[in-house]
Amino acid sequence: MAVIYGYARCSLSEEKGGQDIKRQTKELEAAGAEIIIEEREHGDKDKEKLNALLAHMEGGSSLVVTEVSRLARSTKMLCDIIDIIKAKHLRLVILGSVTIDCRNGEMDPMSQAFLQMAGIFSELELSMIRARVRSGLANARSKGKKLGRPVIKKEDIPPTFIKHYPAYMSGQMNVSELARVCELSRPTIYKYIQLMSI
């Protein structure tokens, strides 16, 4: 059965990406998307939900996105998606840009070239973002700012851990139980155990 799917993607951060993904879903709904898949993943990473959606879509269905960069941040990724669109006889709609209709098994060469060019610009945009981030980090370091997570010292260990640590050491509690009673993650518990042994 032919269905119009919408795909919305933004960064991993709920705070930074929340408004953006809502904007995308509104535009996708306005464009007629019947089912909208939302994903929080970086643009250059493998997108689990997008891959599952493409695998699930049946011939004659449509995939609608707001921009090329929502699908892929590299030309190779975009070309792989185009191959799937062609092989499965789907239609890809990039709002305000281009529609690639392969429901009859063929693709207009001009549309394919246009989409690949858009992929190149998307890849360029990602490279520029990375360069700005590297420059910003270098600038912060040159001003003496410490980057990354702060170093944890023994005196930073919370009292709840100190209270239950002897029970762990005596074998009355395992790491999972210690993490649960302290309301901390297992990796944090391991860090604190390591600090206590120094």
Side-chain angles (χ1 to χ4, degrees):
M1 182 181 150
V3 179
I4 302 172
Y5 295 93
Y7 176 73
R9 183 196 62 76
C10 69
S11 68
L12 295 175
S13 165
E14 177 69 43
E15 297 79 33
K16 291 180 183 174
Q19 284 186 327
D20 185 52
I21 211 155
K22 284 177 189 161
R23 173 190 62 80
Q24 289 178 60
T25 53
K26 280 182 186 173
E27 289 181 27
L28 294 170
E29 284 168 3
E34 300 163 297
I35 299 170
I36 296 174
I37 305 299
E38 294 181 8
E39 185 156 44
R40 282 185 165 74
E41 184 57 88
H42 292 296
D44 57 341
K45 301 281 191 220
D46 194 43
K47 296 164 203 68
E48 207 174 291
K49 288 186 180 180
L50 175 61
N51 293 339
L53 173 59
L54 288 167
H56 168 78
M57 287 176 74
E58 294 179 2
S61 292
S62 299
L63 176 61
V64 184
V65 293
T66 56
E67 311 161 25
V68 173
S69 62
R70 299 299 157 202
L71 283 178
R73 284 282 195 177
S74 79
T75 312
K76 187 197 177 308
M77 273 185 183
L78 190 58
C79 288
D80 290 344
I81 291 168
I82 292 169
D83 288 343
I84 294 167
I85 297 292
K86 281 197 287 193
K88 294 193 78 173
H89 300 260
L90 304 172
R91 183 176 71 128
L92 173 63
V93 179
I94 296 162
L95 298 178
S97 181
V98 66
T99 295
I100 298 201
D101 195 343
C102 296
R103 288 176 295 185
N104 66 358
E106 309 231 344
M107 183 190 291
D108 163 28
M110 198 70 178
S111 296
Q112 183 166 355
F114 178 84
L115 195 57
Q116 287 170 342
M117 283 299 292
I120 289 167
F121 284 113
S122 182
E123 197 170 341
L124 172 64
E125 182 185 15
L126 180 63
S127 297
M128 288 167 73
I129 289 167
R130 285 180 172 160
R132 280 198 302 270
V133 168
R134 282 195 298 271
S135 172
L137 291 172
N139 187 37
R141 280 191 201 101
S142 72
K143 291 178 179 176
K145 288 191 180 175
K146 294 198 176 191
L147 304 172
R149 295 183 184 203
V151 177
I152 298 170
K153 298 176 190 149
K154 233 179 195 176
E155 50 268 27
D156 299 323
I157 296 174
T160 54
F161 178 86
I162 303 291
K163 177 185 170 186
H164 296 289
Y165 181 67
Y168 164 77
M169 287 303 289
S170 65
Q172 297 170 8
M173 215 180 262
N174 63 29
V175 172
S176 296
E177 290 165 333
L178 183 58
R180 186 177 47 75
V181 297
C182 295
E183 296 182 350
L184 296 166
S185 69
R186 284 170 55 101
T188 302
I189 292 292
Y190 282 120
K191 276 183 206 166
Y192 292 161
I193 290 169
Q194 191 177 10
L195 277 172
M196 291 295 280
S197 65
I198 296 170

